[in-house]
């Protein structure tokens, strides 16, 4: 919190121009952030979640400055930071050695530059804090509620089945926000209404996510040292990479292991749910521990040592990319988060961008009572930015997975030289480490932009009247 300098908060004291009845689909990070922010500014919020119990599941996620800035304005950052591991740097290494190529500083330098802290947190902890805060702020959170469809004309109502008793009813409001993740029902309906075919393209990559508890490695001094040092590790290799860091007050070691997807995983699988799953662009199937050990058998001694402590049961996610949607808004319905801009994990911006969606929507409703104008301003502020960051994640993945050869050697040399001569020697294909991209991802204040550009944005939108459906 020492690096927090939010003295340009444009939203302090702002309230809704007109209190609305808001229906939010999905109690993941985006849905809960939206519910909390909207309730705090005077709206009546109902959150519909399909699972019967919102459990603390998932793994580690990054809290970048653009996310922590928003959480501060919602009054929950102090509680979130108590559960956050604040990392000092990222150690960057080749796959087959524990020798460091270079490192990227994190805290406090990133916090000082972007005036908001950075860290990593278990997704379940963040979701729990947001859920509790949303409920304290007056949000009504209903579980076992599966949304079947929105109104055919995208009026603000949705048809919902109660999974407990099978009854089907319509929920009516003033606006509907679909935060229902990568398998969004309303995104599919919106795309079909435009005659748009929205199909994923396999990246060829898959991922294992591991959480290894401290007690399992308590007799391994070298691994305990890695768990305790508050340093993230990034190993890059042919066809894959590994990102690893401590979470839960250094009691768990979070590892994300990227590798080539098997052919069967690129064509089928079972997707995760909206409330308890992680919100990346992927499909999940049961993983094979022997296959995992086989792929990483030539990787560094430290990696091989960690994997010996992995569970026998694990999930494997095949990663997909999705084309940009023609629209995020139709009628009185808006898509947010992975429902409209699913992101690969390579720039660690999925959760942060869902929070940005929530923040801009809330800010827009403090500027106007016109629901459809507010939604169109939200789309104008967020669509190009969200899709640009999603595209940056794709290019970063390619850089991390280069096969051994000339391109890999050029990349590694750029990493070794980064910061020693000048910024021009950096590896600009790695968007997460690139200074220009960091400024774009972490330095932009979308709430401030919405307020300061309001007249400009609404003037442009008024030249193109809201479509009638």
């Amino acid at each position: 919190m020492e690096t927090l300098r939010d003295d340009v908060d444009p939203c302090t004291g702002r309230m809704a121009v007109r209190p609305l009845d808001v229906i939010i689909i999905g109690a993941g990070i985006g849905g809960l952030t939206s519910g909390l922010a909207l309730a705090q500014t005077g709206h009546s919020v109902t959150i519909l979640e399909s699972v019967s119990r919102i459990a603390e599941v998932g793994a580690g996620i990054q809290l970048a400055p653009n996310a922590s800035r928003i959480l501060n304005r919602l009054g929950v950052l102090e509680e979130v930071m108590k559960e956050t591991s604040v990392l000092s740097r990222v150690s960057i290494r080749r796959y087959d050695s524990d020798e460091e190529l270079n490192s990227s500083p994190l805290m406090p330098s990133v916090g000082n530059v972007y005036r908001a802290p950075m860290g990593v947190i278990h997704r379940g902890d963040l979701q729990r804090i947001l859920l509790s805060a949303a409920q304290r702020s007056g949000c009504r959170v209903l579980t076992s509620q599966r949304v079947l469809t929105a109104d055919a004309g995208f009026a603000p109502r949705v048809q919902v089945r109660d999974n407990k008793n099978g009854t089907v009813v319509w929920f009516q409001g003033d606006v509907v926000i679909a935060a229902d993740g990568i398998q969004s029902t309303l995104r599919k309906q919106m795309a079909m209404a435009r005659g748009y075919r929205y199909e994923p393209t396999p990246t060829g990559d898959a991922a294992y996510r591991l959480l290894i508890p401290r007690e399992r490695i308590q007799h391994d001094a070298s691994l305990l040292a890695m768990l305790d040092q508050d340093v993230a590790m990034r190993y890059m290799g042919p066809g894959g990479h590994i990102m690893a860091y401590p979470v839960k007050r250094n009691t768990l070691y979070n590892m994300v292991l990227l590798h080539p997807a098997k052919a069967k995983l690129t064509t089928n699988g079972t997707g995760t749910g909206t409330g308890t799953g992680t919100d990346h662009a992927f499909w999940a199937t049961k993983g094979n521990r022997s296959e995992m050990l086989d792929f990483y058998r030539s990787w560094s001694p430290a990696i091989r040592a960690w994997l010996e402590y992995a569970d026998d049961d694990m999930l494997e996610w095949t990663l997909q990319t999705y084309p940009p949607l023609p629209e995020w808004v139709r009628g009185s319905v808006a898509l947010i988060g992975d429902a409209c801009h699913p992101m690969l994990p390579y720039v660690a911006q999925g959760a942060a961008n869902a929070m940005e969606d929530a923040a801009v929507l809330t800010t827009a409703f403090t500027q106007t009572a016109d629901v459809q104008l507010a939604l169109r301003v939200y789309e104008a502020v967020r669509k190009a930015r969200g899709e640009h960051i999603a595209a940056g994640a794709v290019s970063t993945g390619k850089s991390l997975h280069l096969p051994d050869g000339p391109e890999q050697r050029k990349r590694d040399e750029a990493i070794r030289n980064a910061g020693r001569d000048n910024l021009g020697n950096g590896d600009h294909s790695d968007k997460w480490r690139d200074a220009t991209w960091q400024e774009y991802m972490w330095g932009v204040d979308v709430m401030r932009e919405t307020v300061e550009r309001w007249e400009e944005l609404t003037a442009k939108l008024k030249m193109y009247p809201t479509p009638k459906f």
Side-chain angles (χ1 to χ4, degrees):
M1 297 291 286
E2 291 80 5
T3 61
L4 183 65
R5 301 289 185 274
D6 196 13
D7 52 4
V8 291
D9 178 3
C11 299
T12 297
R14 285 184 174 270
M15 295 298 288
V17 175
R18 174 170 67 94
L20 303 172
D21 288 326
V22 182
I23 298 170
I24 298 175
I25 307 170
I29 302 303
L32 290 171
T33 305
S34 297
L36 173 59
L38 289 163
Q40 286 183 346
T41 51
H43 302 284
S44 176
V45 179
T46 299
I47 301 176
L48 304 173
E49 172 53 54
S50 62
V51 300
S52 60
R53 176 174 172 268
I54 302 175
E56 294 183 25
V57 299
I61 60 174
Q62 178 182 286
L63 280 182
N66 56 321
S68 60
R69 187 180 301 120
I70 292 168
L71 293 173
N72 177 60
R73 293 171 183 172
L74 297 179
V76 296
L77 181 60
E78 185 173 354
E79 186 177 2
V80 168
M81 292 306 294
K82 291 177 182 177
E83 305 293 339
T84 298
S85 296
V86 178
L87 306 179
S88 62
R89 63 188 182 94
V90 178
S91 176
I92 303 165
R93 307 178 178 201
R94 282 272 287 153
Y95 75 103
D96 56 355
S97 169
D98 288 311
E99 179 185 355
E100 186 173 88
L101 295 175
N102 205 333
S103 68
S104 290
L106 295 178
M107 291 292 289
S109 58
V110 166
N112 287 330
V113 171
Y114 298 107
R115 306 171 70 86
M118 183 180 196
V120 291
I121 187 171
H122 191 285
R123 183 186 183 277
D125 288 332
L126 178 59
Q127 186 177 27
R128 170 178 50 79
I129 292 167
L130 290 171
L131 174 62
S132 178
Q135 291 174 322
R136 289 196 306 270
S137 296
C139 291
R140 183 172 62 141
V141 182
L142 305 179
T143 57
S144 298
Q145 305 297 309
R146 181 167 295 281
V147 174
L148 303 176
T149 187
D151 180 86
F154 295 92
R157 66 183 195 131
V158 291
Q159 188 183 52
V160 181
R161 182 179 67 232
D162 188 318
N163 289 339
K164 293 179 180 177
N165 57 33
T167 58
V168 176
V169 299
W170 284 88
F171 281 73
Q172 175 76 45
D174 296 307
V175 62
V176 174
I177 299 171
D180 48 346
I182 193 65
Q183 298 185 78
S184 171
T185 298
L186 268 62
R187 182 195 65 228
K188 295 172 186 174
Q189 185 177 348
M190 197 177 288
M192 288 177 63
R194 281 285 299 264
Y196 183 74
R197 187 173 177 85
Y198 189 73
E199 296 291 341
T201 299
T203 63
D205 295 335
Y208 304 108
R209 296 190 73 117
L210 308 180
L211 286 170
I212 300 175
R214 169 179 286 271
E215 56 268 23
R216 203 173 290 176
I217 63 159
Q218 60 184 326
H219 300 299
D220 191 318
S222 63
L223 298 189
L224 279 172
M226 291 178 72
L227 181 59
D228 287 333
Q229 65 183 343
D230 290 329
V231 173
M233 301 289 181
R234 180 193 264 184
Y235 290 84
M236 304 175 298
H241 82 280
I242 293 174
M243 192 73 186
Y245 48 79
V247 293
K248 291 260 186 193
R249 299 185 180 91
N250 300 78
T251 62
L252 291 173
Y253 202 59
N254 181 82
M255 301 183 73
V256 183
L257 302 101
L258 282 296
H259 58 280
K262 297 187 289 290
K264 66 179 180 180
L265 287 178
T266 64
T267 56
N268 58 52
T270 302
T272 60
T274 62
T276 57
T278 51
D279 294 329
H280 290 308
F282 52 51
W283 300 93
T285 58
K286 186 176 181 180
N288 185 297
R289 188 175 187 275
S290 295
E291 290 178 353
M292 178 188 71
L293 294 174
D294 183 61
F295 179 78
Y296 294 105
R297 69 185 184 278
S298 61
W299 288 51
S300 85
I303 291 300
R304 297 199 307 272
W306 277 111
L307 297 188
E308 288 299 323
Y309 294 100
D311 290 326
D312 290 332
D313 293 328
M314 65 185 69
L315 289 176
E316 182 176 16
W317 288 267
T318 180
L319 303 181
Q320 319 268 12
T321 59
Y322 287 77
L325 285 164
E327 60 193 5
W328 290 7
V329 169
R330 180 166 272 241
S332 297
V333 178
L335 307 176
I336 72 168
D338 276 5
C340 53
H341 54 70
M343 294 188 181
L344 297 173
Y346 305 134
V347 293
Q349 275 287 301
N353 267 251
M355 292 181 199
E356 287 194 0
D357 296 341
V360 171
L361 273 171
T362 301
T363 304
F365 284 122
T366 68
Q367 295 284 109
T368 182
D370 184 331
V371 169
Q372 294 189 2
L373 177 62
L375 296 186
R376 294 180 73 205
V377 169
Y378 152 71
E379 184 181 57
V381 173
R382 287 292 303 131
K383 189 172 187 294
R385 172 172 165 81
E387 290 170 353
H388 191 47
I389 292 174
V394 176
S395 64
T396 296
K398 294 176 181 177
S399 170
L400 297 176
H401 299 173
L402 291 175
D404 289 343
E407 285 189 84
Q408 164 262 317
R409 289 191 290 272
K410 181 180 178 181
R411 177 202 66 193
D412 292 356
E413 188 63 23
I415 292 171
R416 288 189 184 94
N417 292 332
R420 296 176 184 174
D421 298 319
N422 56 63
L423 291 176
N425 288 333
D427 177 20
H428 299 293
S429 59
D430 182 353
K431 304 304 184 188
W432 190 84
R433 295 182 62 248
D434 180 71
T436 301
W437 263 82
Q438 288 179 352
E439 175 65 32
Y440 181 70
M441 291 188 296
W442 303 341
V444 172
D445 185 337
V446 292
M447 298 174 78
R448 183 179 184 182
E449 179 184 354
T450 303
V451 172
E452 294 183 350
R453 294 184 58 206
W454 185 263
E455 296 301 327
E456 169 200 344
L457 291 166
T458 54
K460 289 180 180 178
L461 291 171
K462 287 174 182 176
M463 296 173 61
Y464 305 96
T466 303
K468 301 298 183 183
F469 303 110

